[in-house]
Amino acid sequence: QVQLVESGGGLVQTGDSLRLSCAASGRTFSNYAMGWFRQASGKEREFVATINWNGRSTYVAVSAKGRFTISRDNVKNTVTLQMNSLKPEDTAVYYCAANSGSHYDLSDFGSWGQGTQVTVSS
């Protein structure tokens, strides 16, 4: 499996931006679709955005569309989530995940990082 480590979370105010990064190791990074998911306290984990192996196709949740951008660097083995216009409802632990199949197959993301906390104050 690929090992994933997220970074970049923090406490921000409504309307601010944050950039999350996920560093991958252990396997050939470009063999994997990558994704960002989040879990708010007391809620189930939900999909935020995914990206295919070469970065040319992305899939973004309605809640994130127009505000969040996912990208990847297959040389640096990283995937990034740029989050703009943050809202209090974006508060959650954000997880990076990998999928050896399609970036549209959300249930097949089987490798997870430890998560990074994002808190948006009103």
Side-chain angles (χ1 to χ4, degrees), residues 34-97:
M34 299 298 297
W36 286 96
F37 297 75
R38 68 187 183 186
Q39 187 167 19
S41 180
K43 296 186 177 181
E44 294 187 353
R45 186 162 54 194
E46 65 177 5
F47 147 71
V48 177
T50 62
I51 189 167
N52 78 327
W53 70 274
N54 63 8
R56 293 178 182 175
S57 177
T58 62
Y59 180 33
V60 183
V62 171
S63 61
K65 197 162 291 186
R67 300 187 300 126
F68 295 4
T69 302
I70 186 171
S71 59
R72 68 186 295 161
D73 186 329
N74 284 352
V75 174
K76 296 181 179 179
N77 291 353
T78 57
V79 58
T80 299
L81 185 69
Q82 176 67 43
M83 304 187 294
N84 299 328
S85 302
L86 283 162
K87 306 174 183 179
E89 51 263 44
D90 294 318
T91 295
V93 177
Y94 283 70
Y95 297 91
C96 175

Side-chain angles (χ1 to χ4, degrees), residues 2-4 13 15 22 24 37 74 77 84 87 97 104 117:
V2 62
Q3 285 78 50
L4 304 170
Q13 295 184 334
C22 173
F37 297 75
N74 284 352
N77 291 353
N84 299 328
K87 306 174 183 179
Y104 291 114
Q117 177 70 47

